[in-house]
Amino acid sequence: MGIVLGIDLGTTNSCMARVDPATGHAQVLPNREGERTTPSVVSFDASGKVTVGTAARRQGALNPRNTFFGVKRLIGRRFSDPAVQQLRRLLPYEVVADPAGNAAVRVHGQLLSPAEVSSHVLRYLKESAEAHLGEPVDGAVITVPAYFDEVQRQETKNAGQRAGLTVHRLLNEPTAAMLACRFDESHPENIAVFDLGGGTFDISLLHVEDEVVQVLATCGDNFLGGDNFDEIVVEALRRIFLKQTGLDLASDPAALWRLKEAAESTKRALSEVEQTTVDMPFLAQGAEGPLHLSIPSFPRSLFENLVGKELERLRGPCDQVLQDADLKVGDIHRVILVGGMTRMPAVRARAEQYLGRPGERTVNPDEAVALGAALEADIVAGTSDEQPQVLLLDVLSRSLGVRTEGGRFSVLIPRNTTIPARETKVFATTFDHQTHVDIEVYQGEASTVDGNRYLGELQLAGLPAAPGGTVRVAVDFTIDADGILHVTAREPATGRKAEARLRPPTASSP
Ligand code: AMP
C-alpha cells in the first residue's frame, strides 16, 4: 500500500500529517506554501481555474461570490435545513438547492455540491504531500465531527474519492485528538475532549482502560464555532462603521469580506492582549471619497460581552454528554482542549467551569486531530511494524431505525451504541396478501418519524401472499467502522433479500 495520510478536513482550516517511517512519530506535512494548516477555502475564477488555501482566501475580497469557505457546514444537508437557511443570509456566496433539494453552491452559474468544493481542498493537500514527500499518496484517514450524521459522513467520503484518495476510514475528530495526546494506559481514566473549531463544537467523553479506548458519549453543536464569533464581530464593526460614516456595508460583499478578516484577527489578538485596535483604511467609497474604519481601542471585555450567548451555548452539550455517559463532573480525570478557539481565555474558562478541571493543551490544538488521524492511518496502512497500541471503539451519534405503523419510529440501533454494530429486528406484514414491504430508514431521537431525518428506503418485493401479520421480514442494520449504514431486509421463508447502502436523499424524499 502507498502512503496513507491523516487529514483533518476542517471547517475553517485543514491539516495533514503522517507517521514518519524513519522515526515512527506522527508529523504535520506542510502545504505547497510551506504552511502547516491550509485554509479550507476554494476560489474559482471565470476561466475555471481553481485556487485553494491562503491564495484563495486572498481572492475572497476580489471575488467573494465565487470564493467558498465553511462548506463543511453545508455538506450532506438539505437546502431546507434551518441551519442552511440561517447560514445563507450570512454568506457572501450563493447557497441554492440542487434538483434533489440538497444544499449546493453556485459557481459562475454552475451548481457544485459542498463535497465537490471540499474535494478541491483534499486534492490540494494530496498534491502538496506528494510534492513534499516525492512519492504518490493514494489513501487517507479523514476526520469528521463526532456529530456528523450518515449523509454527512458519506459525502465526506465522496469528497475524498473525488480527490483521488482511497478513504480507508473516517475517524471522529475527538477520538483522533485523544490519540494524539499521550495518555497513561495503565490507569483507567475518563477523558473529556473539548473541541471548539471554526465551525463546530464537539464534546466527547472517552474511557481509557487496558489499552482500549471507548467513546462513552459524544455531544455537540455542529453550528457553533469560531465563525460565529467572527460574524458577531463583523456585525459590530459594520454598526460602528455605519455610525461613523453613515454608510451601511451590508450589501457590499468585498467590504464584508475584509471585515471578516479584520474580525478574525481582532479575535485572535484578544486571546493574547487585553485590548487591540482596528484600522481599516479605504474600506469603502463614499460620496466624498474613500471611507476608513478606525477603532482605537477594542477591549477583550467588549468582545466577551458580544459573544456571551455563544459562550453560554457551550454549557448544554457539556451537561448533556455527562448525562449520556452517566458520569458526574468529579468523574472526569482529564480535559483535552482542541480547536483554535480554545486559545480564547473565556472559552478555556467555560470548559473548566462546565467540566470541573483546567484543560490541557499538550498538543498544538490546530494539529492534534491530524496527528491522531495519521496514527490511525499508519495502522490501516500497516506500515508500522508494531501492533496497534490501542483498539478504537467509537459510538454512534444518532439513533437509527425504521418507520412503523402510524409514522412511529422504531429504533434498531440506539445512539451511543459502540460501533461497528449490527442489529436485526423482525417485523410482520400488516395487510392480507401484502406482497411487498417498504422499509423507510430514519435517524434521530424523536418518537415519530416526522421529527427525525429521512435517510432512504428499500423495498422487499415478492413476498408470499398470506394473511396480514403472518409473513415475517427481518431487517438488519450494520454500521461499519466509518459510521456508514448498510441495510438488508430478508424474508426467511423464501430467502428473498433486498439491500441498500444508504445514500443521500433523492428528489422524491420529504
Ligand atoms: P480549527 O477549526 O481548529 O482550525 O479552529 C479555527 C478557529 O480557531 C477559527 O475560528 C480561528 O479564528 C480560531 N482561532 C485560531 N487561533 C485563535 C486564537 N489565537 N484565538 C482565538 N481564536 C483562534
Side-chain angles (χ1 to χ4, degrees):
M1 198 184 296
I3 291 175
V4 182
L5 297 176
I7 298 181
D8 169 10
L9 179 62
T11 308
T12 329
N13 296 300
S14 296
C15 183
M16 60 174 159
R18 81 148 184 160
V19 171
D20 182 342
T23 64
H25 292 300
Q27 59 177 36
V28 169
L29 300 180
N31 66 18
R32 261 187 251 140
E33 255 114 308
E35 302 157 324
R36 294 170 71 83
T37 61
T38 299
S40 307
V41 184
V42 181
S43 188
F44 298 83
D45 75 10
S47 70
K49 185 168 170 275
V50 183
T51 314
V52 176
T54 303
R57 198 151 90 168
R58 269 189 240 113
Q59 301 269 312
L62 301 170
N63 187 13
R65 296 188 73 73
N66 300 298
T67 300
F68 301 92
F69 60 90
V71 295
K72 186 172 172 181
R73 297 210 280 184
L74 302 172
I75 201 165
R77 285 181 186 268
R78 306 287 290 162
F79 179 70
S80 56
D81 188 324
V84 172
Q85 290 303 315
Q86 185 193 339
L87 194 58
R88 261 181 87 204
R89 289 193 286 275
L90 301 164
L91 291 170
Y93 56 81
E94 211 179 336
V95 179
V96 293
D98 73 6
N102 298 312
V105 298
R106 201 193 297 277
V107 190
H108 296 298
Q110 214 190 325
L111 290 192
L112 278 189
S113 69
E116 283 172 288
V117 177
S118 293
S119 74
H120 289 288
V121 176
L122 292 170
R123 186 177 291 279
Y124 172 82
L125 295 178
K126 173 183 187 285
E127 289 173 0
S128 291
E130 287 172 340
H132 182 77
L133 299 168
E135 281 177 72
V137 166
D138 53 21
V141 168
I142 302 179
T143 59
V144 289
Y147 229 56
F148 257 23
D149 68 19
E150 286 291 313
V151 183
Q152 291 166 309
R153 283 169 197 267
Q154 185 70 58
E155 285 292 281
T156 302
K157 227 172 168 175
N158 290 345
Q161 278 149 4
R162 280 176 181 281
L165 290 164
T166 303
V167 181
H168 292 281
R169 182 150 183 205
L170 298 175
L171 187 62
N172 283 340
E173 287 161 10
T175 305
M178 188 277 310
L179 284 180
C181 295
R182 283 165 193 279
F183 54 91
D184 179 3
E185 294 125 41
S186 55
H187 302 287
E189 277 191 329
N190 296 317
I191 300 176
V193 180
F194 180 102
D195 179 353
L196 186 62
T200 54
F201 172 49
D202 280 292
I203 170 85
S204 303
L205 290 178
L206 316 171
H207 182 75
V208 186
E209 186 170 359
D210 295 335
E211 300 181 356
V212 175
V213 181
Q214 187 177 7
V215 183
L216 298 175
T218 120
C219 235
D221 184 336
N222 47 22
F223 247 79
L224 178 62
D227 292 350
N228 303 73
F229 289 64
D230 297 350
E231 279 149 18
I232 287 163
V233 179
V234 166
E235 187 54 21
L237 298 180
R238 186 182 70 82
R239 279 167 196 268
I240 294 170
F241 187 76
L242 179 63
K243 228 177 179 171
Q244 286 183 351
T245 67
L247 188 70
D248 191 352
L249 299 174
S251 54
D252 181 345
L256 284 178
W257 189 280
R258 281 188 63 202
L259 284 186
K260 186 176 145 49
E261 301 254 286
E264 205 222 344
S265 63
T266 302
K267 175 187 75 177
R268 284 176 186 252
L270 290 174
S271 291
E272 309 304 322
V273 295
E274 289 287 341
Q275 64 162 21
T276 184
T277 56
V278 180
D279 260 310
M280 302 185 71
F282 306 105
L283 185 56
Q285 190 66 32
E288 274 121 54
L291 295 171
H292 320 292
L293 173 64
S294 171
I295 305 170
S297 168
F298 197 105
R300 183 188 283 173
S301 56
L302 169 64
F303 174 47
E304 290 179 353
N305 280 338
L306 286 171
V307 298
K309 252 210 238 131
E310 279 56 38
L311 292 170
E312 197 53 36
R313 281 170 67 192
L314 298 167
R315 182 197 296 268
C318 291
D319 291 347
Q320 183 69 46
V321 80
L322 281 162
Q323 201 181 323
D324 287 349
D326 206 12
L327 291 183
K328 286 188 281 304
V329 161
D331 299 327
I332 296 176
H333 300 101
R334 296 177 59 186
V335 176
I336 295 172
L337 298 178
V338 184
M341 279 304 297
T342 58
R343 293 208 178 89
M344 180 175 169
V347 169
R348 287 209 297 270
R350 294 291 175 134
E352 181 169 352
Q353 186 186 337
Y354 302 146
L355 301 170
R357 277 188 178 274
E360 295 170 36
R361 296 206 343 234
T362 42
V363 184
N364 185 334
D366 305 319
E367 298 177 353
V369 171
L371 291 169
L375 295 172
E376 183 69 9
D378 191 47
I379 293 169
V380 299
T383 44
S384 149
D385 296 338
E386 291 176 30
Q387 286 302 307
Q389 294 282 310
V390 284
L391 176 65
L392 273 188
L393 299 173
D394 247 331
V395 293
L396 186 68
S397 62
R398 312 278 167 86
S399 302
L400 290 166
V402 297
R403 178 194 190 108
T404 57
E405 269 180 271
R408 281 198 311 274
F409 181 51
S410 169
V411 172
L412 268 90
I413 307 188
R415 70 190 279 252
N416 285 332
T417 298
T418 303
I419 60 170
R422 182 167 180 190
E423 194 55 55
T424 305
K425 225 176 186 175
V426 177
F427 297 91
T429 49
T430 316
F431 311 110
D432 291 348
H433 305 298
Q434 184 178 342
T435 55
H436 74 263
V437 285
D438 291 311
I439 294 140
E440 292 178 35
V441 181
Y442 288 80
Q443 71 179 4
E445 311 315 316
S447 58
T448 60
V449 294
D450 293 347
N452 292 326
R453 182 165 188 183
Y454 171 81
L455 290 178
E457 60 188 86
L458 73 163
Q459 188 179 71
L460 183 61
L463 300 177
T470 59
V471 179
R472 311 217 164 256
V473 173
V475 175
D476 179 281
F477 275 24
T478 303
I479 309 183
D480 64 22
D482 297 329
I484 287 172
L485 176 65
H486 306 258
V487 182
T488 56
R490 207 166 40 86
E491 196 272 298
T494 58
R496 270 187 176 275
K497 207 168 137 184
E499 54 195 307
R501 186 169 180 207
L502 290 180
R503 299 225 157 261
T506 59
S508 58
S509 62

